[in-house]
């Protein structure tokens, strides 16, 4: 890997792979991943769903902007559909009636949320417990995301465009010399004009290594159990079930159910593992809401979802060190927003306008998002930061025209 690049992207999850695929169209890009394969941590453990009402305001905008990509993917991007329709049924017990009402109040007409009576909710999910059910909301415009197909599509683009992937690579030092970075790794040194920090739960550690600002990243563990469907019911096409306070969710899969307590336990960056107590809570909540008796889970895992205080992504140049670009704190939304966010972030890191390209890519709505909404600068007051951004990148001569225009 002893070589020079325009961009070094750290992290082989969906954030790093997707932005690297866009950057490789215009520049020389190295993608550095510490694991033997891409998507090993949160990306590969996601029970991912496309839902436009899920997340903070900017997340919702990015989700809407990604819709066309998912439902009408670019030619040759994937070998199978990226999404499969999956409604969401949000149920409420008597103690959750206010939470359900708040959800209806926050929904807009374009969210296409239906209010269901107790009887209608049971028709949608016949194994609901009837005793304390007071109502429900149904979202029909939602879908399962094929995470593997999505990640492989971006990887194919990246490789076709000449990107270099270095997997199973440990980063030991990150130093700025003049107008370029040197990444010291277990596979040699990598030099790059710009570093993109897309390291997921490890993004805060990479920031420290670079001497960048502390964005207050908090990796939060989420646990999932895999349980068998009842033998006398085929639930494969049933809605995802979630309660109004998001204290559990259950998503059908062929012959089985993904069951989570929707936990958010603060964790150090690690290969996260599910705890017995968390899974027991998921089972208890699910059994109270349904007539299903859960036997011993047949599988379990956990992943880390990273947030900052306002639960919006952090995307932009660091205000302290030059040439260091954050693509972090994507929470549990990184997969559903990856098409639009990676396009937007790649435009920002290259210093290019987005208006000309967004229509061709179908990303309607990304022009509603300005850099200041996601920039790390929003996390500190203006008198605390010294901007040292500098130029976004110095392209190699083969990729730079005489007027420094983006292309």
């Amino acid at each position: 890997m002893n070589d020079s690049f325009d961009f070094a992207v750290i992290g082989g999850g969906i954030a790093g792979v997707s932005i690297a695929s866009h950057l490789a169209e215009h520049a020389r890009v190295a993608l550095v991943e510490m694991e033997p394969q891409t998507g090993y941590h949160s990306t590969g453990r996601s029970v991912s769903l496309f839902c436009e009402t899920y997340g903070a305001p900017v997340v919702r905008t990015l989700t809407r902007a990604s819709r066309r990509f998912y439902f009408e993917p670019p030619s040759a991007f994937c070998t199978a559909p990226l999404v499969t329709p999956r409604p969401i049924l949000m149920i409420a017990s008597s103690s959750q009636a206010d939470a359900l009402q708040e959800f209806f109040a926050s929904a807009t007409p374009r969210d296409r949320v239906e209010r269901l009576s107790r009887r209608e909710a049971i028709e949608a999910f016949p194994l609901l417990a009837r005793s304390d059910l007071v109502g429900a909301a149904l979202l029909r415009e939602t879908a399962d995301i094929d995470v593997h197909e999505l990640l492989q599509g971006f990887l194919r683009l990246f490789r076709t465009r000449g990107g270099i992937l270095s997997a199973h690579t440990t980063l030991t030092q990150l130093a700025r010399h003049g107008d370029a970075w040197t990444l010291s790794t277990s596979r040699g040194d990598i030099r790059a004009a710009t570093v993109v920090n897309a390291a997921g739960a490890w993004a805060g550690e990479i920031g420290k290594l670079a001497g960048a600002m502390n964005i207050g990243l908090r990796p939060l563990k989420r646990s999932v159990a895999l349980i068998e469907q009842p033998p006398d019911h085929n639930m494969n096409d049933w809605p995802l079930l979630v309660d109004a306070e998001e204290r559990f969710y259950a998503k059908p899969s062929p012959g089985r159910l993904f069951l989570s307590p929707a936990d958010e336990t603060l964790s150090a960056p690690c290969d996260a593992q599910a705890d017995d107590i968390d899974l027991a809570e998921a089972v208890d909540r699910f059994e109270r809401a349904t007539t299903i008796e859960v036997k011993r889970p047949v599988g379990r895992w956990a992943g880390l979802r990273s947030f900052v205080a306002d639960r919006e992504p952090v995307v932009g140049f660091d205000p302290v060190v030059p040439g260091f670009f954050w693509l972090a704190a994507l929470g549990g939304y990184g997969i559903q927003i990856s098409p639009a966010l990676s396009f937007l972030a790649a435009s920002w890191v290259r210093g290019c306008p987005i208006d000309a390209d967004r229509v061709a890519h179908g990303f309607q709505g990304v022009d509603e998002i300005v850099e200041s909404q996601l920039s790390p600068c929003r996390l500190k007051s203006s008198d605390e930061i010294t901007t040292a951004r500098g130029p976004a990148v110095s392209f190699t001569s083969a990729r730079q025209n005489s007027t420094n225009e983006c292309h």
Side-chain angles (χ1 to χ4, degrees):
M1 284 300 293
N2 292 285
D3 209 344
S4 297
F5 296 86
D6 300 314
F7 296 95
V9 179
I10 302 174
I14 191 63
V17 172
S18 58
I19 191 173
S21 72
H22 289 295
L23 294 175
E25 185 177 11
H26 308 280
R28 196 154 190 260
V29 182
L31 177 62
V32 181
E33 167 56 40
M34 66 179 179
E35 301 293 351
Q37 63 193 58
T38 57
Y40 176 82
H41 288 285
S42 296
T43 297
R45 307 176 192 193
S46 173
V47 183
S48 192
L49 203 77
F50 182 87
C51 177
E52 295 182 19
T53 64
Y54 188 44
V58 178
V59 167
R60 295 187 182 196
T61 300
L62 288 165
T63 304
R64 289 193 296 271
S66 299
R67 168 174 278 276
R68 182 175 172 185
F69 185 96
Y70 278 119
F71 288 85
E72 302 174 35
S75 175
F77 178 83
C78 49
T79 59
L82 294 177
V83 290
T84 303
R86 170 82 61 194
I88 295 176
L89 182 66
M90 177 184 290
I91 59 172
S93 63
S94 56
S95 64
Q96 297 173 326
D98 289 345
L100 183 63
Q101 187 56 41
E102 289 174 8
F103 175 75
F104 283 122
S106 66
T108 66
R110 65 184 171 190
D111 293 329
R112 297 176 289 278
V113 177
E114 299 177 31
R115 186 187 296 268
L116 300 189
S117 66
R118 178 174 175 272
R119 177 183 59 80
E120 291 169 327
I122 294 170
E123 288 177 355
F125 200 102
L127 295 180
L128 287 177
R130 292 156 168 76
S131 58
D132 197 29
L133 180 67
V134 296
L138 184 66
L139 292 80
R140 295 189 185 275
E141 302 296 320
T142 51
D144 293 338
I145 297 175
D146 187 332
V147 179
H148 176 78
E149 192 67 29
L150 178 70
L151 185 68
Q152 293 305 311
F154 281 123
L155 273 174
R156 281 190 292 270
L157 269 183
F158 176 68
R159 288 170 171 144
T160 299
R161 292 168 174 175
I164 303 296
L165 170 64
S166 181
H168 212 180
T169 301
T170 302
L171 179 64
T172 58
Q173 189 175 10
L174 187 55
R176 180 84 175 174
H177 301 291
D179 60 353
W181 290 92
T182 298
L183 290 75
S184 300
T185 82
S186 57
R187 292 180 177 269
D189 288 350
I190 301 170
R191 287 171 291 277
T194 300
V195 167
V196 177
N197 181 10
W202 283 263
E205 302 302 310
I206 298 299
K208 289 179 185 177
L209 204 59
M213 71 172 283
N214 179 7
I215 64 171
L217 191 72
R218 291 166 53 88
L220 304 177
K221 185 174 71 172
R222 174 146 299 183
S223 306
V224 178
L226 189 62
I227 63 174
E228 299 282 4
Q229 292 183 15
D232 51 346
H233 289 83
N234 182 345
M235 304 172 67
N236 295 349
D237 297 326
W238 289 22
L240 179 145
L241 185 68
V242 61
D243 76 328
E245 295 177 336
E246 199 179 341
R247 297 179 67 250
F248 83 88
Y249 63 79
K251 176 183 172 182
S253 178
R256 297 180 176 178
L257 293 169
F258 298 118
L259 176 61
S260 174
D263 49 324
E264 293 190 345
T265 306
L266 186 63
S267 171
C270 65
D271 188 354
Q273 304 295 319
D275 294 329
D276 288 341
I277 185 65
D278 294 325
L279 300 185
E281 288 180 354
V283 169
D284 178 66
R285 294 166 187 174
F286 181 66
E287 288 184 332
R288 289 174 182 271
T290 70
T291 60
I292 299 173
E293 181 180 354
V294 177
K295 298 180 180 179
R296 185 179 182 87
V298 296
R300 61 168 65 193
W301 65 89
L304 299 179
R305 307 158 75 245
S306 300
F307 293 90
V308 292
D310 62 6
R311 299 179 74 89
E312 296 279 20
V314 178
V315 184
F317 281 97
D318 187 84
V320 178
V321 293
F324 187 85
F325 189 89
W326 291 87
L327 180 56
L330 306 189
Y333 322 113
I335 292 169
Q336 73 172 24
I337 65 177
S338 60
L341 181 62
S342 60
F343 168 76
L344 188 64
S347 298
W348 287 350
V349 74
R350 294 176 55 233
C352 298
I354 66 170
D355 288 347
D357 291 334
R358 68 178 177 84
V359 175
H361 287 77
F363 297 130
Q364 297 179 350
V366 291
D367 51 339
E368 300 174 24
I369 301 172
V370 295
E371 289 185 67
S372 60
Q373 288 178 286
L374 298 180
S375 168
C377 295
R378 77 182 193 272
L379 302 172
K380 297 183 75 174
S381 60
S382 58
D383 58 350
E384 292 182 291
I385 39 181
T386 302
T387 300
R389 170 171 167 172
V393 65
S394 298
F395 291 109
T396 54
S397 58
R399 294 176 175 83
Q400 184 179 29
N401 62 24
S402 59
T403 59
N404 271 336
E405 293 177 347
C406 297
H407 52 126

